[in-house]
Amino acid sequence: MDDFDINELEAIINQWTSTSDKPPLYEVEVLRRLDWFSFQQKQAISKESLANLYCMLAFFRLKRNFDDDQITELLLKEAESINKTQPVLLEIKNLKLYFNFYSDLESSDFGDWSIRETDFDPAKLKKSKELLNEVDRLIDHIKNAKATITDNKNKLNEIFLSIEGELLSLSDTLNSVINSIESRKSDVKVQELNQHVKKIILLKTDFYEQFPDIFKKSLRKDPLDELDEMIGLKEIKNYIHQYYHYLKYQQERKSLGFHMVDEPGLHMIITGNPGTGKTTIARLLASIYYELGLLETSEVTEVNRSHLVGSYVGQSEENTLNFVRDSIGGILFIDEAYSLKREGQSGNDYGQAVIDTLVSNMTNKDYANRFALILAGYPEEMRQFLWSNPGLRSRFPEQNHISLPDFKIAELLQIAENTALSNDYFFTEAALLKFETLVEKSRVDDTFGNARTVRDLVLKAIFKKGASKTLSSNENWLEHMRIDKNDLDFMDNDNNDTQPLKRLDQLIGLNNVKQEVMKLSSFVRVQQKRKQKGLPVVPIQLHAVFSGNPGTGKTTIAKIYSQILKECGLLKRGHFVLASRSDLVAGYVGQTAIKTKQKVRESLGGVLFIDEAYSLYRGEKDFGKEAIDTLVDEMTKHNENLVVILAGYNDEMQRFISSNPGLESRFKKYFEFQDYNEQELLEITKLHIENYQYELEDKAGSYLTKVYKENSIEGNARFVVNLIDEAIQFQALRMEETESDNLDSYQLLKKEDFQNALANVRGNST
C-alpha cells in the first residue's frame, strides 16, 4: 500500500485547484491514500495536500449525491479544520448549496403549472395558493443559503439571485391574484403570473448550464450518457450510438417527406450470459425510443414464461394479449424467452401458444408499431430457439440482434469497486488482489453470473465485515468503509488437512506413477512462476491416460492429481467427477451429445475421470462414437478449464486411443499403473487392518505373504480390501462360537480367518 512517492503524489494532488476540472485521482484512490495516511498519523503529507484529498472525496460524493449528506459535511469540516481558506473547499461548499437549491427547484411544480383566463375562480384560487406555498418555501431556502455562500462573484450566484428576484415578484403577484379572487375583483393578473413562471423555468435551465460539466450528467441523465458510463461493452456502445443516430436520421428524413417501406422496426433480440446487462440495455433502449418520439413512454414491462404460459387451453393467449396491451406505447421485455418452447414438450405445454400470439400481435393492425418486443436469454439457447421458429425469427432482422460479451477480469474488478463505493465501502489494494482470486475461482463455466456474481460477492464481504464489527465513536470513519483482505476470509474454505503431494507420498507402491505426477507438478509450478515473471511458458498438457489392471490406484491417483492441479492454480475448483459409458451415452439419436456436454459442464474447473473409457467405442454405428466426438470438441472449447483422464486396461486403452486421431492428439501424458507385488499387497493389508484397529497374527501374515506370492491376484488392492472384509466377518463368527470376552481376541485376525475368507473371495487364481 505504501509503494508510492509522496512528493510525486503531492504534486499530482495539488494540480487540482477548481471544481471545473476533474480530480487527478479516482475516488477509490483518494480513499486508499487517506486510509494510508491515517495509519501514518497524517505526518507524511502537507496540510494543503491533505485538505485537497478531503475536498476530492467530498467532490466525488457531491457528484454522486448532491442532496444533504452527513459524510460530505464531515469531509468538508475535516478539510476546513486543516485549511479553511483552501480555494477548492470554498467552491465545493458553495456548489453544495447551489445543488441543494437546484434539486429543490427541480422537484417543484413549475413545469406543469399553468393558469388560464377561462378557468373558474375556485380553480384559479386553488392553483394560486398551491403555487404560493412552493414559492415561499423556495424563497426561504434561498435566504438560508445566502447566509453561508462565501463567493458571490460568479455566474451561478448571479442567476441564483435572479431566481430569487423572480420568485419574490411571483410571490407578490400571487398574493395580489389571491386577494383579487377572494375580493371578487375582475382584474386577475393571469398573464403576468404565467410570464413569471416561464421566466423561472428559463432561469432554472440557465442555472443548470452554469454547473461544471462533470456534474451535469449527475443531474440529468441522457440514455446515451448512461450507456457510456457502463463498464466495458465497447462494441455494444458503438452499435447503440450508431443505432441511435440511424433512428434519429430516419425521423428527420420523415419530417422532410421521405418514406421507408422496409424499416427494421424496434423489436430486438438481446443475448448474453447471466449478469452481462441484458435488462439494463433493454431499459436504455426504452429511454432512447421514448426520447426520439418512437414510443409514447419509456416504461418496460418485464415478464418471463411463468407470466405468460397458462395451464389450460386459451389461458396463454389471454395472458400474452393482456401483457401486450399493458406494453402499448412502451416495451415488452421477455427474459429467458427460449423457455417458451421446450424440447419434446407435451400437448399440455402451452408455450407455443404464447409464441403464436406474439407473432400475430407484432404485425396486427391494432398493435403493430405501437410497442416494441425485446426477447432476451443465453446465446446458445436463444440461437436454437429462433432457428426452431422461422415465424418469430423473421420479425427480428440481423441488425436488431445484440450480443453482450462476458466481462473481462479488469472490468469485473471495476464493477466490484463501484458496487463497494455505491454502498460507502472501498477495497484495500491487498483485498482487491484477494477478491480477484475469488472472482477467478467463480469463473468456471457459462453459468458464471458476471456483474451479478461480483455484486453478490461484494455484498457477502460487506456482510462479513458488518457481522463482526461494532461502531465506536473513537474510530476513524474510514474504518467503517474499509474492506480488508480479512473480510474475504469466507473464500478460504478448503478443508483438506493433508497436502496432495504428501498424500501421494503416503501411498504404497506406485513409484513410477508418483515420479511422473511429482515431475508434472514441478513443471506446472515452475511454468506458473515464469508466467508471473513475464517469461514465456511452455504449453501444459494436462489430459492423461491411466492404464492398468483393476485395484492399482487409478481413481485414487486421479483425485490427488486434481488437488495438485488446483493447488498449482491451474484448476479453479479441483473437484473430481467420475463417469462411465452410461453417464455419457444415451439410447437414441441426439441425446448422447447433450449427456456428454452436461457431464463436461459438471466437471469444468476440475477433473473428469472416465473409467473403462474404451467401452465408449463399440463400432461406427454405436452412439458412443458421438460421445467421443463431443468430448473432443468440448476439450478444445474448454482447453484451460478442464482436465480429462481416461482410464482402463493397458491393451484396451492403447487400441482405443489409437482408433481416434482426435483423442490421440489430445492425450500426450500416459501413466502406467503396475500390479502390486506381494510385499506391497501385505503393506496394504496391514494398513487397512490398522484403520479398523485390528491386528494381524504372525502366522496370518506369513500365510498371506505366501498367498500373494504364489497366486496371480486379480483386483490388486481391491482384492485385498474384499479379503479383509470377509476375514473380519469370519473372525466375528469364530468369536461368537468361542464366547471369548478378551479385548485382544476382538482385535486379532488369525490365519484361519483368512483361509476361510480366501475360499469365499472371487478374484484369486490358484
Side-chain angles (χ1 to χ4, degrees):
M1 181 65 197
D2 55 351
D3 187 21
F4 59 88
D5 186 300
I6 291 179
N7 293 328
E8 184 180 333
L9 177 65
E10 287 203 73
I12 293 170
I13 292 169
N14 294 324
Q15 288 173 6
W16 191 56
T17 57
S18 171
T19 55
S20 298
D21 302 322
K22 187 178 178 180
L25 299 175
Y26 293 111
E27 185 173 3
V28 73
E29 291 177 309
V30 176
L31 282 163
R32 285 177 185 147
R33 296 312 172 213
L34 281 172
D35 191 37
W36 187 83
F37 288 126
S38 70
F39 284 112
Q40 303 299 313
Q41 287 78 45
K42 304 177 184 176
Q43 296 173 0
I45 189 172
S46 69
K47 287 186 176 182
E48 180 186 11
S49 299
L50 187 59
N52 240 18
L53 279 175
Y54 282 117
C55 287
M56 280 185 203
L57 200 51
F59 174 92
F60 283 118
R61 291 191 69 87
L62 193 60
K63 181 176 177 293
R64 281 195 285 120
N65 176 18
F66 48 81
D67 293 331
D68 284 327
D69 179 58
Q70 283 182 271
I71 301 297
T72 305
E73 284 293 335
L74 184 150
L75 294 168
L76 292 173
K77 284 178 182 177
E78 287 274 7
E80 197 169 22
S81 69
I82 297 167
N83 184 1
K84 64 172 65 175
T85 60
Q86 193 98 341
V88 76
L89 168 64
L90 303 177
E91 278 190 48
I92 292 173
K93 289 178 72 175
N94 289 336
L95 265 178
K96 190 172 186 299
L97 293 169
Y98 293 137
F99 270 144
N100 286 337
F101 175 69
Y102 178 81
S103 177
D104 205 0
L105 188 61
E106 181 79 352
S107 65
S108 68
D109 297 327
F110 284 104
D112 299 322
W113 192 90
S114 68
I115 192 170
R116 295 187 297 272
E117 295 279 4
T118 54
D119 286 343
F120 292 112
D121 283 353
K124 290 176 182 175
L125 184 63
K126 183 183 178 188
K127 287 183 179 180
S128 297
K129 285 184 175 181
E130 287 174 350
L131 185 58
L132 183 60
N133 287 333
E134 283 288 302
V135 169
D136 288 344
R137 185 177 58 79
L138 291 168
I139 290 170
D140 287 340
H141 191 149
I142 289 175
K143 285 179 180 176
N144 293 330
K146 280 170 67 178
T148 51
I149 288 174
T150 54
D151 180 12
N152 53 16
K153 295 179 181 178
N154 58 63
K155 191 67 176 175
L156 264 172
N157 195 68
E158 183 183 320
I159 299 173
F160 182 64
L161 296 177
S162 296
I163 293 172
E164 180 191 27
E166 202 59 48
L167 286 169
L168 289 168
S169 298
L170 178 57
S171 178
D172 290 341
T173 305
L174 282 166
N175 279 308
S176 174
V177 166
I178 291 167
N179 287 332
S180 295
I181 295 171
E182 289 178 339
S183 304
R184 299 184 182 278
K185 295 179 181 178
S186 58
D187 59 335
V188 177
K189 303 172 182 178
V190 170
Q191 190 174 354
E192 189 178 339
L193 272 179
N194 288 332
Q195 286 298 322
H196 281 307
V197 170
K198 285 178 183 177
K199 284 182 182 177
I200 290 169
I201 292 170
L202 289 171
L203 284 169
K204 184 180 75 171
T205 303
D206 291 343
F207 195 52
Y208 169 80
E209 291 302 324
Q210 296 308 313
F211 285 114
D213 289 340
I214 195 169
F215 284 97
K216 288 179 186 175
K217 290 180 182 178
S218 300
L219 295 167
R220 289 182 188 170
K221 293 234 175 183
D222 178 271
L224 290 180
D225 290 336
E226 285 190 61
L227 174 70
D228 290 338
E229 287 175 9
M230 291 178 70
I231 293 167
L233 306 174
K234 183 179 178 181
E235 290 182 9
I236 303 302
K237 289 174 181 176
N238 289 338
Y239 169 74
I240 292 181
H241 272 279
Q242 291 170 1
Y243 183 59
Y244 173 85
H245 288 296
Y246 166 77
L247 293 173
K248 190 173 183 180
Y249 172 65
Q250 292 301 338
Q251 287 290 93
E252 291 168 351
R253 285 180 84 248
K254 278 185 181 179
S255 68
L256 296 174
F258 293 103
H259 298 282
M260 267 195 74
V261 177
D262 300 313
E263 288 189 271
L266 305 180
H267 307 302
M268 279 277 178
I269 299 290
I270 303 177
T271 60
N273 285 325
T276 48
K278 297 185 290 294
T279 307
T280 303
I281 293 294
R283 290 170 184 163
L284 286 174
L285 284 171
S287 297
I288 288 171
Y289 292 162
Y290 173 65
E291 185 186 292
L292 291 172
L294 299 169
L295 291 176
E296 298 167 8
T297 174
S298 60
E299 292 297 315
V300 179
T301 304
E302 299 177 26
V303 297
N304 56 35
R305 177 186 165 91
S306 64
H307 295 96
L308 301 172
V309 179
S311 54
Y312 55 83
V313 174
Q315 189 182 24
S316 295
E317 292 90 336
E318 182 183 346
N319 291 346
T320 306
L321 188 57
N322 285 337
F323 278 111
V324 168
R325 286 170 179 157
D326 290 344
S327 306
I328 292 298
I331 283 179
L332 176 60
F333 176 81
I334 305 178
D335 199 12
E336 297 185 8
Y338 46 80
S339 65
L340 294 174
K341 187 174 181 66
R342 290 175 170 169
E343 288 299 324
Q345 62 187 13
S346 62
N348 60 357
D349 187 294
Y350 301 110
Q352 184 62 47
V354 173
I355 298 170
D356 295 340
T357 306
L358 287 171
V359 170
S360 170
N361 285 299
M362 288 168 75
T363 53
N364 133 340
K365 62 179 182 180
D366 293 327
Y367 304 115
N369 301 320
R370 296 186 61 199
F371 78 105
L373 177 64
I374 296 181
L375 304 182
Y378 302 157
E380 181 60 24
E381 288 86 342
M382 284 299 292
R383 186 187 67 79
Q384 293 178 8
F385 168 60
L386 289 170
W387 276 104
S388 69
N389 197 298
L392 191 61
R393 188 176 74 250
S394 64
R395 266 74 177 176
F396 297 91
E398 198 64 35
Q399 63 267 32
N400 283 26
H401 289 225
I402 295 176
S403 179
L404 302 179
D406 288 336
F407 289 103
K408 297 173 183 174
I409 186 65
E411 294 166 347
L412 291 169
L413 292 179
Q414 197 177 342
I415 289 168
E417 294 210 278
N418 288 353
T419 303
L421 276 176
S422 66
N423 290 284
D424 278 342
Y425 285 91
F426 72 95
F427 286 94
T428 63
E429 288 176 350
L432 193 62
L433 286 172
K434 191 170 183 178
F435 190 84
E436 181 178 357
T437 304
L438 181 56
V439 173
E440 281 288 8
K441 285 176 71 175
S442 302
R443 292 176 76 195
V444 175
D445 54 34
D446 55 12
T447 62
F448 172 67
N450 284 282
R452 195 179 305 154
T453 296
V454 166
R455 289 191 189 98
D456 289 345
L457 291 171
V458 172
L459 294 176
K460 195 171 181 180
I462 290 172
F463 175 82
K464 170 76 167 55
K465 183 177 181 71
S468 58
K469 191 76 183 165
T470 53
L471 281 169
S472 170
S473 57
N474 299 325
E475 284 180 317
N476 188 315
W477 54 273
L478 280 164
E479 175 63 30
H480 303 294
M481 292 184 72
R482 185 193 310 114
I483 297 176
D484 213 334
K485 62 180 182 179
N486 296 332
D487 298 315
L488 301 175
D489 285 346
F490 62 83
M491 66 184 282
D492 301 324
N493 54 3
D494 191 351
N495 297 320
N496 258 335
D497 296 330
T498 310
Q499 294 298 315
L501 284 175
K502 186 177 179 182
R503 286 166 54 208
L504 178 71
D505 189 54
Q506 289 172 348
L507 293 176
I508 294 168
L510 305 173
N511 292 329
N512 64 316
V513 173
K514 287 179 183 177
Q515 186 178 1
E516 282 297 313
V517 172
M518 293 179 76
K519 182 176 71 175
L520 181 62
S521 172
S522 299
F523 169 72
V524 168
R525 290 173 197 279
V526 169
Q527 293 304 312
Q528 290 290 81
K529 288 176 182 177
R530 282 175 61 87
K531 184 178 179 180
Q532 291 167 6
K533 295 179 183 295
L535 296 171
V537 297
V538 178
I540 302 171
Q541 297 288 343
L542 298 175
H543 306 300
V545 175
F546 285 10
S547 59
N549 290 324
T552 48
K554 296 187 291 296
T555 306
T556 302
I557 292 289
K559 290 177 180 177
I560 294 173
Y561 184 64
S562 67
Q563 289 301 311
I564 289 172
L565 295 178
K566 179 188 177 184
E567 195 182 64
C568 295
L570 282 174
L571 287 178
K572 295 174 182 178
R573 290 178 179 167
H575 64 301
F576 176 85
V577 177
L578 177 64
S580 61
R581 176 185 167 92
S582 62
D583 297 303
L584 306 174
V585 180
Y588 50 94
V589 176
Q591 290 302 301
T592 293
I594 294 172
K595 285 188 76 172
T596 304
K597 285 180 180 180
Q598 286 174 342
K599 190 56 69 173
V600 167
R601 178 174 286 190
E602 182 187 337
S603 309
L604 289 177
V607 167
L608 173 59
F609 182 86
I610 304 175
D611 201 12
E612 297 184 9
Y614 46 80
S615 66
L616 290 175
Y617 186 70
R618 293 176 179 171
E620 288 294 323
K621 295 183 179 180
D622 181 67
F623 290 131
K625 185 179 184 303
E626 185 183 354
I628 297 168
D629 294 339
T630 304
L631 182 64
V632 169
D633 288 342
E634 291 294 302
M635 287 170 68
T636 304
K637 182 179 176 183
H638 303 289
N639 186 41
E640 296 181 356
N641 201 23
L642 174 72
V643 172
V644 177
I645 296 176
L646 304 180
Y649 298 123
N650 289 332
D651 294 342
E652 285 88 340
M653 286 304 296
Q654 286 178 13
R655 286 195 295 271
F656 171 59
I657 296 295
S658 60
S659 71
N660 189 296
L663 289 175
E664 202 166 21
S665 65
R666 282 163 179 80
F667 289 91
K668 302 292 179 65
K669 209 72 186 170
Y670 287 77
F671 294 80
E672 187 175 342
F673 288 71
Q674 298 171 355
D675 289 337
Y676 292 105
N677 60 37
E678 67 272 15
Q679 290 302 320
E680 291 167 344
L681 289 171
L682 187 63
E683 281 186 61
I684 292 169
T685 305
K686 289 179 178 178
L687 181 65
H688 197 70
I689 285 172
E690 287 170 6
N691 286 339
Y692 293 101
Q693 294 189 10
Y694 282 92
E695 294 176 5
L696 193 64
E697 183 188 46
D698 289 342
K699 289 182 180 179
S702 301
Y703 169 74
L704 287 173
T705 302
K706 184 179 179 183
V707 168
Y708 294 152
K709 186 175 183 179
E710 295 178 355
N711 296 277
S712 175
I713 304 298
E714 295 179 6
N716 289 283
R718 195 175 302 164
F719 168 82
V720 170
V721 171
N722 291 339
L723 181 67
I724 292 169
D725 289 345
E726 280 292 322
I728 288 172
Q729 291 179 46
F730 276 109
Q731 187 246 28
L733 183 62
R734 177 170 55 79
M735 292 292 298
E736 288 287 319
E737 290 172 351
T738 59
E739 296 184 355
S740 171
D741 201 31
N742 185 290
L743 179 62
D744 291 341
S745 300
Y746 281 102
Q747 292 178 297
L748 193 65
L749 292 175
K750 295 186 174 183
K751 176 181 176 181
E752 62 188 274
D753 299 324
F754 283 99
Q755 285 175 323
N756 292 327
L758 191 62
N760 271 20
V761 173
R762 296 179 180 178
N764 61 311
S765 301
T766 55

